[in-house]
Amino acid sequence: MTNEELVRKAEEGMANAYAPYSGFLVGAALLCRDGSVFTGCNVENASYGAAICAERTAITKAVSEGYQKFEKIAIVCSSGSYAYPCGICRQVMAEFMLDGQVILADKEKGIVEFSVKELLPGAFTRKDLFHG
Ligand code: THU
């Protein structure tokens, strides 16, 4: 699947965003190594801190369906500019796709691609926890 196709899937995910508090809609599309795609959206809550980001929605959906090997994740947001993932989402990406890629799209500037490692250098992983 091309980055453009994955961005389109992320836009489909964004259509389900539940963001009545921030008004900031986010969509994600996660490509598994076997070609399966899981979409996600942000899901907010009256208790603001209970909000779940689009990226973690997609990753949690996939893991709960038995998928753990991911190639790349595309993220879009309603402002139309690059939707850089928050720190918690970068950490969750490091858990399941440390060798993966993050695809971002700006309506005017186009698509850019980063590795998870460059977005979270020196990530804390299970290797650190279990002393290698
Ligand atoms: N949000 C995401 O969905 N992904 C991110 O990586 C950053 C933030 C959502 C959470 C909240 O619903 C809204 O954007 C505003 O922070």
Side-chain angles (χ1 to χ4, degrees):
M1 168 162 298
T2 66
N3 287 350
E4 287 76 9
E5 288 168 333
L6 201 61
V7 165
R8 233 164 279 136
K9 292 276 183 197
E11 287 167 351
E12 287 173 25
M14 186 168 69
N16 292 324
Y18 177 74
Y21 304 103
S22 72
F24 188 71
L25 315 183
V26 186
L30 180 69
L31 178 66
C32 303
R33 287 214 199 128
D34 76 343
S36 305
V37 174
F38 289 85
T39 59
C41 61
N42 54 335
V43 182
E44 297 186 346
N45 193 280
S47 176
Y48 289 9
I52 304 169
C53 293
E55 301 92 313
R56 275 178 290 139
T57 300
I59 292 170
T60 304
K61 277 172 68 178
V63 173
S64 68
E65 295 291 329
Y67 294 80
Q68 293 186 2
K69 294 184 190 319
F70 310 133
E71 247 178 57
K72 49 188 180 181
I73 186 167
I75 315 164
V76 298
C77 63
S78 49
S79 72
S81 50
Y82 293 125
Y84 284 90
C86 80
I88 297 175
C89 288
R90 292 179 197 207
Q91 180 65 31
V92 173
M93 289 173 197
E95 182 75 21
F96 293 107
M97 49 187 302
L98 192 56
D99 292 318
Q101 305 293 316
V102 177
I103 316 302
L104 307 178
D106 178 292
K107 288 278 178 217
E108 285 164 13
K109 298 176 193 156
I111 290 175
V112 289
E113 180 171 338
F114 299 92
S115 66
V116 170
K117 279 181 177 155
E118 73 185 305
L119 291 179
L120 191 63
F124 181 80
T125 67
R126 55 189 297 143
K127 281 203 202 84
D128 303 296
L129 192 59
F130 298 120
H131 311 290

